[in-house]
Structures are given as structure tokens and as C-alpha cells.
Amino acid sequence: MRILVTGGAGYIGSVSVEALVEAGHEVTVLDDLTTGFRGAVSPAARLEVGTYGDTAAVAALLVRDRIDAVLHCAAKSLVGESMVDPAKYFRENVAGGIALLEALRTTGVRRIVFSSTAATYGMPERTPITESDPVQPINAYGETKRCVESAITWYGRGYGLRSVILRYFNAAGASKACGEQHNPETHLIPAVLLACEQGRDMTLFGEDYATPDGTCVRDYIHVSDLARAHMLALEATDPANTLTGPPSGPCEPLICNLGSGTGFSNRQIVAAAERVTGRPIPVKIGPRRLGDPAVLVASAQRAHEKLGWEPGLGTLEEIIGSAWEWRRSHPAGYPD
Ligand code: UFG
């Protein structure tokens, strides 16, 4: 397949690109490098520096590289930031997302896999969360992803766009070549490892949640497991595959959660990081972070049944261990 990966220089995108090229696909990466890194892109992929929000430019790229399917990973994705600057999220994720869909529509590319999020569920009514549970985001980030999910759904009904929408829970870990690097670092696992490297305390945001130890609970999934799910999802958008609709005419998206089904509290993450690194990581408790649900844990039953996907690298120590390995083998991060 010839695949365009938006955000292919970012964390989840770069690991997916690595897996796609290894599987023999031809990959074009579209990334504006605002949060991604040139050095994260597999040398076997073609990198185009630019925005997915420019319909004409993306359409030209789709035609130039004779793209069969798009994996749309690019987005602004920080829950906390989305609460203080929602405009940025609506501009980039929603307006940009529609511009991308327009490029697909006008060039007749009818296959997309969309990186969505557990943040669409908001404050879940039950755990583990299934895909038919109510979608009621409590942060602007989740809301913008819900908007793009809706647009994809209606493009399917109106224009026969075949799609898989993947609601990721908490991506973590690293492949050998690609890991998680953000500036500033706001995600829990890399932030804990950074605190450990720098020999300073780790601040946890709140310990008065209705959870066993009072800190938030999340479902961590190895980024390489996500990459495998992307490949299965891209295959599912083939017109011969009825999971994403009939060969022609209106289509409905296949929506799947991607998680492990097990939740770990923020304190449990710190304790696991202490075991992996062999160093003490003292904890300080700060105020709650705006927009944080107490518990997000997936039921990944549907991804298993429909896509044949299962997380294979699931233990917390494996996930944190791979992140720690990557940091040690890339002490200065990516070269650029
Ligand atoms: N946390 C801390 N201290 C930190 C950083 C994070 O206590 O320095 C806490 C957060 O408050 C939260 C938990 O660690 O309780 C996880 O926070 P992350 O920022 O690592 O991840 P989120 O759950 O907020 O969000 C992530 C992705 C989203 C995705 C979501 C789905 O960033 O894109 O998982 O569960 F939608």
C-alpha cells in the first residue's frame, strides 16, 4: 500500500511509520515539525514538511505519491493545554482535520485511519469503557477529536469514505529507534523518568480522586502495539473488507478502543518506574490538573474481535522499561 502518515515525525506516528516500512509499505510522511522531529522519521519514508491543513497542498501530495490510504496521527494532543488554549485545538484539530478530509474527497482517496482518543468519553459511567458508551468529553482536546470523528462519519455516509477510528488510551514506551520526546514534557511516564534522571521530585496532580490511592488511573498501551493496530486498521479500509462498509456507497466507521484493559494509578506508575530504574523517585502532590478524568480504562474486546488485535507488550515494566532504554540510548534525544 502507498500510505500518507500525517504526524509521522511525532511519537506515535514515527513508531507506526517504522512498522509500516518494515512491513513493505511505501510511506510518505506529512509533518510540520512543530512538535515532531526530522530524526524520528524512518529513512525509508519520504518526508514532506508542511501542514495537513492546506487542502490544495495535501491534494497535490495525494496525487503525486498516488496514495491509497491515509493514517491521520497529526494533532495537538495535550489535555491541559487544550483547557487554557481551546482555540488552538479547534483551529488545528478541527479546521485542519476538515481541510485534510477535503483533500481526500477532492482527489477520490477513500481510506482513512484516524487517531482518536479515550478523552472523547469524558467522565465514563462505567469501567472498562466500551465503544458504545456515551461520548461526552470534559476537555477541549477530547471535544475536538469528537468533532473530527463526526466529520469522518458523515463523509462516510455522504461520499463513501471508508474509515477506522482508533480511540487510544495512554500510549507509552518506545521502539528501539523511536521514543517519546516533548518539550515541555507533560506526559506521566516520560515526566517520571525525567525527574528520575534529574534527581528531583515528581509532582503528581491531585490525590483526592475517587480511586484506590486517590491518584488518577490510566490504561497504558505500548506504542508498538498501537503501530500494529494501525496496520490492521489500514487493511480493514480495503474496499473488499466489509468491516468498513460495502465495496461502494455509504459507509460507517469502525470504531475501536486501543487499550490493555488494565488500569494503573499515577502512584503505581512512579513505583514501577522506581523498580525499572532502580532509583528512588520521591513524590510531591500538587493540585489537580484541569480536565483530568479520574479513571480511563478500555475494553479492547472489539479491536480483538474485528481486527484480531491484542496488546502483546503489555506489562507495565516492559512498557516503562522500553521508554527507559530509549532514553538511555538517546541521552540527547533526537539530533534535531
Ligand atoms: N500527571 C501527573 N504529573 C505529571 C504529568 C501527568 O500527575 O507531571 C498525571 C495526570 O494528571 C494524569 C496522568 O498523570 O492523571 C496521565 O497524564 P498524561 O498527561 O500522561 O496523559 P492523559 O491521560 O492526560 O492524556 C493521554 C494523552 C491524550 C489521550 C489520553 C487518553 O495525552 O492524548 O491519554 O487517556 F487522550
Side-chain angles (χ1 to χ4, degrees):
M1 243 185 286
R2 288 181 293 267
I3 302 162
L4 176 70
V5 182
T6 69
Y11 170 44
I12 297 174
S14 63
V15 177
S16 299
V17 169
E18 194 187 359
L20 287 167
V21 298
E22 259 171 38
H25 297 293
E26 278 178 48
V27 177
T28 301
V29 167
L30 176 61
D31 199 301
D32 64 6
L33 300 180
T34 51
T35 53
F37 299 90
R38 194 179 287 274
V41 179
S42 160
R46 187 172 188 170
L47 172 63
E48 191 69 29
V49 179
T51 169
Y52 61 89
D54 180 338
T55 299
V58 177
L61 192 60
L62 293 173
V63 171
R64 185 194 78 185
D65 290 358
R66 296 179 296 127
I67 297 295
D68 299 308
V70 173
L71 172 58
H72 182 33
C73 291
K76 297 294 162 211
S77 63
L78 302 178
V79 169
E81 183 188 58
S82 81
M83 299 299 281
V84 293
D85 192 3
K88 179 175 180 181
Y89 281 69
F90 279 87
R91 217 168 40 233
E92 299 269 341
N93 296 357
V94 182
I98 309 286
L100 174 73
L101 291 181
E102 282 297 276
L104 271 76
R105 185 176 68 82
T106 54
T107 55
V109 174
R110 291 223 174 80
R111 300 170 64 178
I112 189 166
V113 172
F114 176 55
S115 295
S116 189
T117 170
T120 52
Y121 292 112
M123 211 67 89
E125 284 163 14
R126 58 177 186 162
T127 291
I129 305 167
T130 69
E131 294 81 353
S132 50
D133 287 348
V135 163
Q136 295 162 336
I138 61 160
N139 51 60
Y141 167 59
E143 184 64 53
T144 61
K145 288 287 183 174
R146 173 167 76 166
C147 291
V148 181
E149 286 193 4
S150 298
I152 288 174
T153 302
W154 286 100
Y155 272 62
R157 291 172 185 161
Y159 314 118
L161 180 66
R162 308 177 74 82
S163 64
V164 179
I165 291 172
L166 297 171
R167 293 184 180 148
Y168 309 151
F169 282 62
N170 287 56
S175 70
K176 283 239 171 334
C178 301
E180 190 166 10
Q181 182 177 337
H182 299 107
N183 192 13
E185 191 48 79
T186 67
H187 289 107
L188 182 63
I189 291 178
V192 171
L193 296 178
L194 186 65
C196 171
E197 282 164 3
Q198 296 177 344
R200 56 174 173 76
D201 294 351
M202 175 64 200
T203 303
L204 295 183
F205 302 137
E207 64 170 353
D208 56 350
Y209 287 93
T211 60
D213 67 15
T215 63
C216 290
V217 170
R218 293 289 182 272
D219 180 340
Y220 291 88
I221 183 80
H222 197 293
V223 66
S224 297
D225 280 330
L226 292 184
R228 219 162 19 81
H230 289 151
M231 282 204 273
L232 296 168
L234 284 161
E235 284 161 19
T237 60
D238 189 290
N241 191 321
T242 53
L243 281 172
T244 50
S248 61
C251 295
E252 289 292 320
L254 171 65
I255 303 178
C256 292
N257 288 340
L258 295 179
S260 71
T262 306
F264 293 99
S265 74
N266 296 343
R267 275 200 184 274
Q268 285 178 307
I269 295 296
V270 176
E274 287 181 319
R275 289 195 295 279
V276 167
T277 61
R279 301 184 199 171
I281 307 171
V283 161
K284 266 200 322 222
I285 300 298
R288 285 184 175 202
R289 189 174 69 181
L290 221 54
D292 269 351
V295 180
L296 285 174
V297 178
S299 160
Q301 187 71 19
R302 187 185 286 174
H304 174 62
E305 282 170 12
K306 304 280 185 190
L307 297 175
W309 176 82
E310 229 153 349
L313 300 158
T315 76
L316 193 55
E317 273 76 8
E318 276 174 322
I319 293 176
I320 298 177
S322 69
W324 183 236
E325 272 308 302
W326 188 81
R327 297 181 76 87
R328 287 163 76 90
S329 57
H330 298 75
Y334 288 113
D336 48 327

